[in-house]
Amino acid sequence: MFQGASALNLDAKGRMSIPAKHRDALLVQCEGRVTLTKHPHGCLLFFPRPVWEQHRDQIAAWPMSARAWQRIFLGNASDVEMDSAGRILIAPELRNAVGLSRDVMLLGMGSHFEIWDAAKLAESESEAIANGMPDVLNNFSF
């Protein structure tokens, strides 16, 4: 179960260091083999390969009416391996597609991660707060 936020930097080559708390789990779970793809909310999804493979199979089975969404998720998927320093290389196409700059945020979302441009995440969270809780969460409480 991945959770928590980590403020990270991309290096000049577009590599991101995975925080040690997640790196060890990824090495055990998938030997450092991960998959990145675009999300329409403006971030990247980052999956341990076995988790991605389950999603990939579900997405591939969608009907033809969802072909455009298959292209977004499957057509942009990139298999990546952590290097010996615990970094992953984010392809320029993916970085550009979601506007990643040097400052990024890695968010643990349970079975996977989201990678956001730090400024874009702050803006997205501010908008969400300004719009208030959606009705579906009316009965939620801590």
Side-chain angles (χ1 to χ4, degrees):
M1 178 68 87
F2 302 110
Q3 64 183 23
S6 300
L8 305 169
N9 295 313
L10 295 182
D11 70 13
K13 294 181 181 178
R15 295 176 298 195
M16 180 182 79
S17 291
I18 306 301
K21 65 183 177 182
H22 300 309
R23 185 182 320 141
D24 296 340
L26 288 168
L27 287 170
V28 169
Q29 184 177 354
C30 61
E31 299 173 338
R33 296 177 306 122
V34 302
T35 299
L36 304 174
T37 195
K38 283 190 341 187
H39 190 283
H41 287 165
C43 67
L44 295 178
L45 297 173
F46 167 3
F47 293 94
R49 187 80 43 82
V51 175
W52 168 249
E53 289 170 351
Q54 293 171 357
H55 288 289
R56 182 189 62 203
D57 293 344
Q58 291 174 343
I59 295 166
W62 289 351
M64 283 298 288
S65 59
R67 181 61 95 198
W69 289 98
Q70 286 175 317
R71 285 187 196 103
I72 291 170
F73 295 116
L74 297 179
N76 289 288
S78 176
D79 291 339
V80 180
E81 292 194 21
M82 274 195 299
D83 66 15
S84 59
R87 299 173 300 195
I88 58 168
L89 175 64
I90 302 174
E93 296 83 3
L94 289 175
R95 292 193 314 264
N96 293 335
V98 298
L100 291 184
S101 63
R102 182 175 173 359
D103 299 322
V104 298
M105 293 294 294
L106 179 70
L107 302 178
M109 300 297 291
S111 65
H112 65 283
F113 299 91
E114 292 180 351
I115 302 171
W116 285 85
D117 177 76
K120 195 176 213 179
L121 176 62
E123 180 182 319
S124 177
E125 288 180 348
S126 291
E127 285 178 24
I129 291 167
N131 290 332
M133 288 277 224
D135 291 341
V136 72
L137 298 179
N138 283 343
N139 295 322
F140 177 77
S141 176
F142 281 104

